[in-house]
Amino acid sequence: MGVPVKILCILMLLLHKSSDPEVFNDGKTLNLPANYKIGWMKTLDDEKLISTLTIPGTHESLALHGGLLAKCQAWSLWNQLMAGIRYFDLRVSGKNLKIKHGPIDQKTTFPDALETIREFLSKYKTETVLVRVKPVNPEFSKVPSLVENKIRNAKDIWVKPSVPTIGKVRGKIVFVQKNTFKLGIILFETDEKGDYKVTNVKVKEEKIKKHLEEAADKCRTGSALSLSYSSGTSLGTVLGFRFLPKKLAKQINPWLYDHLEKEFKKNPKPCFGIIAMDFPGFDLIQMVIKFNGLT
């Protein structure tokens, strides 16, 4: 009797695990469901302002290298696009426009990222991809003009400050701007200075909740495109290495999924603008997308 009971317990545990939503991902491989629609923006109303969407994004989108201190994502840019991510945070440095996280080279460049996004949009013409360029050291002051030279006269990139409808930017890249980069839509960033520093997970959760409420207020009117972060780190605080990006995401992502699931049940459903995440799992991304009334 003992052995069959043990086997039954193991099977029940496996079944339970397989039914849990994938909210955190730290593996390179992307496994998409057979019936998954990559072009999730296809059925959006062409007249809908993109500032009234809820958009899954990543923080430090190409921070794939540097170990526990610097790594914020596991999937490549292409895999993030395929999984439904439509906002990318690119930290760009120097005359070669290298992508960096702090001092750590991420082994790719802004032109490479642009080429990948363009390739994706050539296959999925119903989509639009939002890109934030954040100039960083060294030579951060040169980055804006160098980026401008790379995209000069490009017909597939929106660089105006006005918020477009989705119909105007299908198949295009939409630049968003803040502070040191002045091309594209002006962002309303809900995070305040230092909010990325985490010493208490519960406090971080409350901050995210507050930021999403602020974003929802902006989103209702469509007056501005909001950006909120669920990411963070304890580096630079008294806790030092306690909550590095990966460890924090393991705790925050399940909470974020549950919080969004509760918000989704409201009538009318809120919208939240861009939610930028670290190590998001496929189901967390899909939960964000659901707010657009597509699933």
Side-chain angles (χ1 to χ4, degrees):
M1 287 292 291
V3 173
V5 169
K6 283 184 180 179
I7 292 172
L8 182 61
C9 288
I10 291 169
L11 286 172
M12 288 177 68
L13 183 62
L14 289 172
L15 284 170
H16 173 70
K17 283 188 175 181
S18 65
S19 64
D20 286 345
E22 183 194 293
V23 297
F24 170 86
N25 168 71
D26 63 350
K28 291 181 180 179
T29 304
L30 172 65
N31 297 307
L32 294 175
N35 61 346
Y36 175 61
K37 295 177 181 176
I38 293 165
W40 64 263
M41 292 179 158
K42 183 176 182 178
T43 57
L44 290 174
D45 184 344
D46 274 349
E47 298 307 310
K48 197 171 180 65
L49 291 169
I50 64 170
S51 55
T52 60
L53 299 177
T54 302
I55 301 170
T58 44
H59 153 259
E60 289 278 5
S61 300
L62 297 183
L64 305 176
H65 306 281
L68 294 175
L69 291 176
K71 191 173 178 181
C72 295
Q73 308 301 330
W75 284 326
S76 67
L77 175 57
W78 182 262
N79 279 349
Q80 289 181 48
L81 285 160
M82 295 292 281
I85 296 294
R86 295 292 179 268
Y87 164 84
F88 295 94
D89 167 25
L90 306 181
R91 311 295 172 101
V92 183
S93 169
K95 63 182 180 180
N96 294 322
L97 298 177
K98 291 183 176 181
I99 305 293
K100 292 200 168 185
H101 183 184
I104 299 173
D105 187 353
Q106 295 302 317
K107 303 179 183 180
T108 190
T109 65
F110 170 76
D112 289 340
L114 206 61
E115 184 179 341
T116 298
I117 295 169
R118 279 173 160 157
E119 182 184 352
F120 175 81
L121 289 172
S122 72
K123 294 184 178 182
Y124 302 98
K125 300 183 190 311
T126 62
E127 307 304 286
T128 186
V129 175
L130 283 65
V131 171
R132 177 185 183 179
V133 173
K134 185 173 182 180
V136 293
N137 284 322
E139 301 180 289
F140 73 92
S141 62
K142 294 182 179 179
V143 169
S145 61
L146 290 168
V147 169
E148 283 189 57
N149 288 337
K150 289 288 181 187
I151 64 167
R152 194 176 301 282
N153 300 321
K155 306 231 183 278
D156 61 343
I157 301 179
W158 182 275
V159 294
K160 300 175 186 176
S162 56
V163 178
T165 61
I166 186 66
K168 286 183 179 177
V169 289
R170 290 192 189 278
K172 295 182 180 181
I173 297 165
V174 175
F175 273 25
V176 296
Q177 61 162 297
K178 179 76 176 176
N179 299 334
T180 52
F181 189 79
K182 299 298 184 184
L183 288 180
I185 302 170
I186 299 167
L187 280 176
F188 168 70
E189 199 164 341
T190 59
D191 279 46
E192 298 173 4
K193 188 175 181 180
D195 277 350
Y196 71 92
K197 293 182 179 179
V198 177
T199 55
N200 183 295
V201 174
K202 292 296 179 187
V203 171
K204 177 64 175 177
E205 290 170 0
E206 287 303 311
K207 285 183 179 179
I208 296 169
K209 186 177 178 181
K210 175 177 174 285
H211 294 154
L212 290 177
E213 288 170 358
E214 292 171 5
D217 287 340
K218 288 284 184 185
C219 198
R220 282 186 203 100
T221 64
S223 59
L225 180 62
S226 298
L227 169 64
S228 302
Y229 294 95
S230 67
S231 54
T233 181
S234 58
L235 278 181
T237 75
V238 293
L239 294 185
F241 300 98
R242 175 95 179 265
F243 295 117
L244 298 179
K246 182 175 174 178
K247 184 174 181 180
L248 182 67
K250 268 188 177 178
Q251 296 190 52
I252 287 292
N253 289 8
W255 171 85
L256 180 60
Y257 182 92
D258 290 343
H259 177 71
L260 291 175
E261 191 171 41
K262 289 172 187 172
E263 291 291 304
F264 184 74
K265 292 174 182 175
K266 290 183 178 178
N267 190 15
K269 294 172 180 57
C271 58
F272 295 114
I274 301 162
I275 304 176
M277 304 166 281
D278 280 348
F279 297 99
F282 180 77
D283 292 321
L284 177 55
I285 295 168
Q286 299 312 301
M287 175 57 71
V288 176
I289 291 171
K290 278 176 70 172
F291 284 86
N292 298 297
L294 306 178
T295 56

